[in-house]
């Protein structure tokens, strides 16, 4: 029995020893047993399966009801189930100190303000520590005394107070996780806003540079047009300077 419990608590446990019972023949016998049971509300483990299945062969000595699937409605009603020796809750909840068997000194209802009770617990810790110091400085009892020492009582009380403080702090873990998540999301949003702002500034700088390039290109185009028009006028002026007398003189010489 101890070996089976140690195996169940192994991080990588072996399959249960009764997994070899789930054969096709045994499952058929279980289905036949259910079919021949007139009252469906009857517990199969209370039925004499050898009498009901007298016409069948290889009927096991152990009850076939062990092969039946677990009742989900029972699990939901109890709120917990057992797997490999550990108990798991259907709805994941953090058990309170009182549910774990401790002496809870603060309200169990999370909607009630716990600060007054926790302040009282903190003051009790300080007072108990002071009393513990006094008890340790007191002379030891005689060897024949059977009365437990006073410091032991203070240590037990300080342990209870420390358990309450730790349990109350653990109850605030979801609130702390939610607050950390909100801060993380806000920081991510701020980073994205800063990155978007930097992208917009870079786009504005590029647009300004493009505008300057367009302006310079248009100015250079206007200057080249002016220079070409001036050269054309100079050519016309040179051509217009030839008189008719020069033409007749050239004709006579030719």
């Amino acid at each position: 029995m101890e070996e089976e419990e140690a195996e169940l608590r192994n991080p990588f446990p072996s399959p249960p020893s009764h997994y070899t019972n789930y054969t096709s023949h045994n499952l058929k016998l279980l289905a036949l047993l259910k079919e021949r049971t007139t009252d469906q509300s009857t517990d199969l483990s209370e039925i004499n399966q050898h009498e009901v299945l007298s016409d069948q062969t290889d009927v096991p000595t152990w009850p076939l009801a062990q092969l039946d699937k677990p009742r989900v409605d029972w699990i939901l009603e109890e709120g917990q189930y057992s797997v490999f020796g550990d108990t798991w809750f259907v709805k994941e909840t953090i058990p309170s100190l009182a549910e774990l068997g401790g002496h809870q000194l603060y309200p169990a209802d999370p909607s009630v303000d716990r600060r007054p009770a926790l302040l009282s617990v903190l003051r009790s810790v300080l007072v108990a520590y002071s009393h513990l110091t006094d008890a340790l400085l007191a002379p030891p009892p005689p060897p024949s005394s059977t009365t437990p020492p006073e410091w032991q009582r203070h240590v037990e009380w300080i342990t209870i107070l420390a358990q309450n403080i730790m349990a109350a702090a653990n109850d605030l873990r979801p609130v702390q996780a939610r607050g950390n998540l909100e801060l993380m999301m806000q920081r991510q949003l701020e980073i994205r806003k800063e990155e978007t702002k930097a992208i917009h500034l870079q786009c504005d700088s590029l647009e300004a540079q493009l505008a300057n390039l367009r302006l310079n290109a248009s100015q250079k185009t206007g200057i080249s047009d002016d220079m070409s028009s001036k050269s054309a006028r100079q050519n016309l002026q040179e051509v217009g300077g030839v008189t008719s007398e020069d033409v007749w003189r050239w004709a006579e010489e030719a």
Side-chain angles (χ1 to χ4, degrees):
M1 186 66 181
E2 295 180 356
E3 295 180 356
E4 292 182 358
E5 292 181 357
E7 179 63 25
L8 287 176
R9 297 189 180 279
N10 189 1
F12 301 98
S14 302
S17 58
H18 60 274
Y19 79 96
T20 55
N21 297 336
Y22 287 87
T23 61
S24 301
H25 178 70
N26 291 338
L27 293 176
K28 289 181 180 178
L29 291 177
L30 176 63
L32 185 60
L33 179 63
K34 290 182 178 180
E35 182 180 351
R36 294 182 178 181
T37 302
T38 56
D39 189 0
Q40 299 296 330
S41 62
T42 305
D43 190 1
L44 295 179
S45 60
E46 299 178 355
I47 298 176
N48 189 353
Q49 60 187 19
H50 293 279
E51 181 180 351
V52 177
L53 302 175
S54 58
D55 57 338
Q56 301 295 321
T57 59
D58 297 334
V59 178
T61 57
W62 43 268
L64 289 170
Q66 295 180 357
L67 304 179
D68 201 6
K69 296 180 181 180
R71 292 286 301 271
V72 179
D73 53 343
W74 292 355
I75 295 176
L76 295 177
E77 182 179 354
E78 295 179 358
Q80 61 186 12
Y81 58 94
S82 179
V83 176
F84 294 123
D86 293 331
T87 302
W88 300 86
F89 294 95
V90 176
K91 184 179 180 181
E92 291 295 335
T93 56
I94 300 176
S96 63
L97 182 60
E99 293 175 350
L100 294 176
H103 185 190
Q104 186 167 333
L105 302 176
Y106 58 89
D109 189 1
S111 61
V112 179
D113 190 5
R114 299 179 177 178
R115 288 176 293 182
L118 294 178
L119 287 175
S120 300
V121 170
L122 182 59
R123 296 191 189 98
S124 298
V125 170
L126 298 176
V127 173
Y129 183 78
S130 177
H131 291 169
L132 176 62
T133 306
D134 295 338
L136 292 176
L137 296 177
S144 60
S145 177
T146 58
T147 305
E150 185 180 358
W151 61 265
Q152 185 176 356
R153 178 171 56 86
H154 296 308
V155 169
E156 293 177 355
W157 180 238
I158 290 176
T159 302
I160 294 175
L161 297 174
Q163 290 176 353
N164 279 267
I165 293 176
M166 293 176 61
N170 290 331
D171 290 343
L172 295 177
R173 296 297 182 188
V175 180
Q176 181 184 11
R178 191 180 301 109
N180 291 336
L181 181 60
E182 291 178 357
L183 292 176
M184 189 191 318
M185 296 178 67
Q186 290 178 0
R187 180 55 184 163
Q188 291 178 356
L189 184 60
E190 292 175 357
I191 291 175
R192 291 185 180 181
K193 288 182 178 180
E194 292 175 357
E195 292 176 350
T196 304
K197 183 178 179 181
I199 292 173
H200 285 314
L201 292 175
Q202 190 67 23
C203 291
D204 294 340
S205 177
L206 292 175
E207 289 178 356
Q209 293 179 5
L210 290 174
N212 292 332
L213 291 175
R214 293 192 188 97
L215 181 60
N216 294 334
S218 62
Q219 290 178 354
K220 290 181 179 179
T221 303
I223 292 173
S224 60
D225 293 340
D226 293 341
M227 292 178 64
S228 60
S229 62
K230 287 181 181 179
S231 61
R233 285 196 298 270
Q234 289 177 359
N235 293 333
L236 288 174
Q237 289 177 358
E238 291 176 357
V239 175
V242 179
T243 59
S244 57
E245 294 179 354
D246 295 333
V247 175
W248 283 108
R249 190 181 300 109
W250 175 78
E252 290 176 356
E253 291 177 356

